[in-house]
Amino acid sequence: MAHSLIYGFWFGGMALQALLAAILLSKRVGGKFALFTAYCLVNFLETVVLYLVHHHLHLYTYTYWLFESLGTILGLGVAYEIFAHLFSLHPALRILATRVFRWTIVVLVFLGCLLIYKESPIRASSVTNAILVVEQAARIVEVGLVIFLFVSASIFGLHWRQSAFGIVLGVGLFATTELVVVTMFSQFDPAGRQILNLIRMAAFDSSLLIWIGYILAPERVTVGELPKREQLEQWNQAVMELIGQ
């Protein structure tokens, strides 16, 4: 039963990824969100390649962790890309917020390194456990950046109708689920790990649906956003004066 569900999520996710890739390329989203487009295309390539090699255990394992490492790096890049997009029209605020963003990364990386030191992956009982500890640290950084994005979004006017909000929402859903799965993976037997894999795949398919929906849906500017934009301009001018002093 579990194997049937895994294959169902696998093929369903592959179809959704193919659809998302076609939408991204047809709408030329890469010009606006290049790293997000690369993130989605790499995930699609990962799904296809893993399916082709899934009968070869060692090759599958190495391929999986290679793509997971690349996907995690791109996921962090997507968080920064959305962050830069938030402040694209407000250069002074972008300078100030980028500094805050960088310090947030420093703190999160420190916490991740602290986790690696505490768990001692070098002395872990297996290579897999060591990799899981490192991935857990990376996911902590990614989830922390997404949370920071949502906090700054509420302050700086990232509206829930905007495609950037949908990208952050999808990345946040999947990264949070990945963090939970990676944290609990070593504590479960093979049957429990299959359930965790199902949860992970369901979360990723849900993220795909969110991204497809947001990219296809037209963005709307509500009347309530206009005063906030004027306020942002005032803040931007004030920060420019502070920087100029």
Side-chain angles (χ1 to χ4, degrees):
M1 180 66 178
H3 285 290
S4 299
L5 287 174
I6 288 176
Y7 276 106
F9 280 121
W10 203 343
F11 287 116
M14 192 182 299
L16 288 174
Q17 288 179 80
L19 175 59
L20 177 60
I23 293 172
L24 290 173
L25 295 176
S26 64
K27 286 185 169 291
R28 299 180 180 178
V29 177
K32 187 177 181 180
F33 300 112
L35 290 177
F36 173 67
T37 301
Y39 175 79
C40 293
L41 294 178
V42 166
N43 280 323
F44 178 44
L45 181 61
E46 176 186 7
T47 303
V48 173
V49 172
L50 289 180
Y51 176 74
L52 294 176
V53 302
H54 75 280
H55 289 300
H56 307 280
L57 180 59
H58 292 293
L59 181 58
Y60 178 92
T61 301
Y62 291 131
T63 304
Y64 172 80
W65 287 117
L66 175 63
F67 275 106
E68 281 298 295
S69 301
L70 181 58
T72 301
I73 293 172
L74 285 174
L76 296 174
V78 170
Y80 184 79
E81 183 174 59
I82 299 299
F83 184 83
H85 174 75
L86 273 176
F87 303 98
S88 59
L89 300 179
H90 310 287
L93 288 177
R94 185 172 66 248
I95 294 173
L96 176 63
T98 299
R99 292 174 183 174
V100 176
F101 188 86
R102 288 173 179 172
W103 277 108
T104 302
I105 292 177
V106 171
V107 172
L108 292 171
V109 169
F110 173 76
L111 292 176
C113 292
L114 187 64
L115 172 67
I116 293 176
Y117 175 78
K118 180 181 178 182
E119 297 293 335
S120 301
I122 297 177
R123 301 191 299 272
S125 58
S126 68
V127 175
T128 300
N129 287 339
I131 293 174
L132 287 174
V133 172
V134 175
E135 186 180 9
Q136 183 181 4
R139 293 298 179 185
I140 287 175
V141 176
E142 189 173 358
V143 171
L145 291 179
V146 169
I147 293 174
F148 179 79
L149 271 174
F150 273 113
V151 172
S152 61
S154 63
I155 298 174
F156 294 108
L158 178 60
H159 195 266
W160 68 271
R161 292 181 183 272
Q162 294 176 332
S163 56
F165 183 91
I167 293 174
V168 174
L169 181 62
V171 171
L173 171 62
F174 181 60
T176 302
T177 305
E178 276 277 87
L179 177 59
V180 174
V181 169
V182 169
T183 302
M184 301 178 64
F185 194 82
S186 60
Q187 304 174 17
F188 281 75
D189 58 14
R193 292 178 179 181
Q194 283 191 338
I195 295 176
L196 290 177
N197 282 330
L198 286 173
I199 294 173
R200 176 185 180 276
M201 297 173 79
F204 184 60
D205 288 354
S206 299
S207 296
L208 291 170
L209 290 172
I210 291 172
W211 292 330
I212 291 172
Y214 266 89
I215 293 173
L216 289 178
E219 294 186 6
R220 298 179 182 177
V221 179
T222 61
V223 176
E225 293 178 22
L226 298 179
K228 181 166 286 190
R229 288 185 177 180
E230 294 179 0
Q231 188 178 32
L232 285 176
E233 291 293 343
Q234 294 174 2
W235 290 354
N236 185 69
Q237 186 63 34
V239 173
M240 286 184 67
E241 293 175 358
L242 289 174
I243 294 176
Q245 290 180 358

